[in-house]
Amino acid sequence: MPASSRSALGRPLVRMQSIITAAELTAAGTAQSLSLGTIPTDAVIEEVWHETPTLLSDAGSISAVTMQVGTSGAAAYLIAATSVFTGGTQTRQSGAGTGARVLPAATEMLAKFTATGANFGTGSATSLDAGTVIVTILYRVV
């Protein structure tokens, strides 16, 4: 049997995680973007996923909510539009966006939520009844 070994290479992974609750979606409109944080210059995104331990719900007029994860210029950079609303079946999804995984400049990551049927809220209070979405991005700086 050949000798084998393992060793750590490169820099350690950094986990950037954001927990978004229904109470944070208050826009007096059908779209709202929330900052997840900034990925530093020369970072390599290794993995991204979202989990919905409690799907967003509304007993009122909102009939669907989708989420994308990306940047201000490319909303689906890391995660393409996916349902995070009651009736959805996806509770965890890895990134399926189209963006490059190496960032030559510091880049703010955003979660963009889009509602169907009604506004998210009044601008200060939400119309949603419940829900939590967790977005996790793993990256390393080279």
Side-chain angles (χ1 to χ4, degrees):
M1 173 182 225
S4 70
S5 66
R6 295 179 190 200
S7 60
L9 298 174
R11 302 197 183 248
L13 282 174
V14 177
R15 178 182 71 183
M16 183 170 74
Q17 187 173 65
S18 299
I19 300 171
I20 303 157
T21 65
E24 295 174 83
L25 297 170
T26 60
T30 58
Q32 182 174 350
S33 292
L34 299 172
S35 178
L36 302 175
T38 299
I39 304 287
T41 301
D42 294 330
V44 177
I45 297 173
E46 297 288 343
E47 190 173 356
V48 59
W49 69 87
H50 85 279
E51 300 171 82
T52 49
T54 308
L55 290 164
L56 298 175
S57 63
D58 178 35
S61 300
I62 297 175
S63 59
V65 177
T66 59
M67 180 190 72
Q68 297 172 295
V69 175
T71 65
S72 61
Y77 188 80
L78 296 174
I79 294 179
T82 185
S83 175
V84 291
F85 195 73
T86 298
T89 57
Q90 185 64 56
T91 57
R92 181 174 171 136
Q93 175 182 335
S94 293
T98 59
R101 297 294 194 233
V102 179
L103 301 172
T107 305
E108 182 181 27
M109 294 295 147
L110 302 169
K112 180 181 179 185
F113 293 85
T114 304
T116 302
N119 292 342
F120 278 116
T122 63
S124 59
T126 188
S127 295
L128 293 166
D129 298 323
T132 302
V133 178
I134 302 169
V135 177
T136 304
I137 301 172
L138 297 179
Y139 67 89
R140 67 179 79 241
V141 178
V142 294

